[in-house]
């Protein structure tokens, strides 16, 4: 359950335990991880670095929801999303016509996705689901507050998109993503010659 000693090691979080990927097990070379898996690994390494740089340094076993919140607030300084303050003339406007001095923050969607990846990585690294600090109630409440505040400040809705049930006559979205096979062709007419 402890963090790997060298987060940049190619075998740290999800590696095969071989020596650098060359000649290890005689099997086929490892496939490239998906974008999600690669991002999850980077996020896990970043969080591990944060714990090591914490004063005093923290082990993963000592980490709580409060430390996760501290990490999320720390990340805010690197955000790129303009979040208007209530005193700003553009508060609630999705497309402000001019610049303003409001702070840049991490977007709610980015934080939500980050917490999801770290929640999964915690359990992949031996953490028990019931002690997962990324699943703490305080973290869920924080994310909800960020979502509501940013929705008001930026004038955007973060409501979940409802899935449309496909209409019997066709796909309303036009995406053609239905997994149903096309209907069979009509039977040949009685006078048709084969």
């Amino acid at each position: 359950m402890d963090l790997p000693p060298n987060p940049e090691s190619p075998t740290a979080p999800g590696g095969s335990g071989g020596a650098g990927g060359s000649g290890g097990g005689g099997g086929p070379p490892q496939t490239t991880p998906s974008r999600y898996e690669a991002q999850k690994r980077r996020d896990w390494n970043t969080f591990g670095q944060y714990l090591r740089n914490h004063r005093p340094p923290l082990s993963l076993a000592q980490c709580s929801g409060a430390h996760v919140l501290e990490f999320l607030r720390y990340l805010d300084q690197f955000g790129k999303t303009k979040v208007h303050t209530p005193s700003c003339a553009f508060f609630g406007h999705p497309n402000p016509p001019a610049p303003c001095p409001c702070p840049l923050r991490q977007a709610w969607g980015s934080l939500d996705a980050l917490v999801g990846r770290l929640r999964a990585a915690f359990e992949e690294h031996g953490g028990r689901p019931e002690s997962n600090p990324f699943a703490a109630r305080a973290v869920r409440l924080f994310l909800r507050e960020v979502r509501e505040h940013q929705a008001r400040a930026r004038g955007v809705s973060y409501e979940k998109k409802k899935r449309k049930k496909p209409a019997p006559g066709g796909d309303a979205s036009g995406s053609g993503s239905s997994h149903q096979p096309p209907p069979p062709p009509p039977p040949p007419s009685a006078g048709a010659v084969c």
Side-chain angles (χ1 to χ4, degrees):
M1 187 164 135
D2 283 333
L3 294 169
N6 180 0
E8 295 305 318
S9 167
T11 60
S16 63
S22 61
Q30 286 187 338
T31 59
T32 304
S34 68
R35 281 180 54 196
Y36 171 81
E37 291 297 328
Q39 185 63 54
K40 182 169 59 172
R41 180 175 163 180
R42 283 192 299 273
D43 294 339
W44 184 252
N45 290 339
T46 301
F47 185 70
Q49 191 66 45
Y50 177 79
L51 291 180
R52 284 188 291 279
N53 290 339
H54 192 274
R55 292 290 168 248
L58 294 168
S59 71
L60 191 55
Q62 297 171 308
C63 183
S64 69
H67 297 111
V68 173
L69 294 180
E70 191 176 285
F71 176 64
L72 296 177
R73 290 185 182 111
Y74 158 77
L75 290 178
D76 245 357
Q77 67 184 306
F78 306 111
K80 298 175 185 165
T81 300
K82 180 78 73 169
V83 179
H84 302 290
T85 61
S87 62
C88 178
F90 303 130
F91 184 82
H93 290 272
N95 298 308
C100 68
C102 293
L104 295 174
R105 302 273 188 228
Q106 289 288 342
W108 164 76
S110 298
L111 292 175
D112 188 51
L114 170 68
V115 168
R117 289 189 300 268
L118 289 173
R119 185 175 181 170
F122 177 85
E123 293 177 18
E124 289 173 8
H125 285 83
R128 294 188 330 268
E130 59 272 11
S131 65
N132 192 330
F134 302 99
R137 184 172 188 269
V139 174
R140 292 194 313 270
L141 291 175
F142 173 79
L143 288 173
R144 185 185 309 156
E145 287 174 16
V146 168
R147 181 185 66 200
E148 291 170 356
H149 174 71
Q150 289 189 6
R152 283 191 310 272
R154 299 180 59 225
V156 294
S157 173
Y158 289 118
E159 298 302 318
K160 281 188 176 178
K161 294 177 182 164
K162 303 213 177 192
R163 287 189 172 184
K164 293 182 181 178
K165 297 197 177 183
D171 187 11
S173 68
S175 65
S177 63
S178 173
H179 295 295
Q180 297 177 350
S189 63
V193 178
C194 292

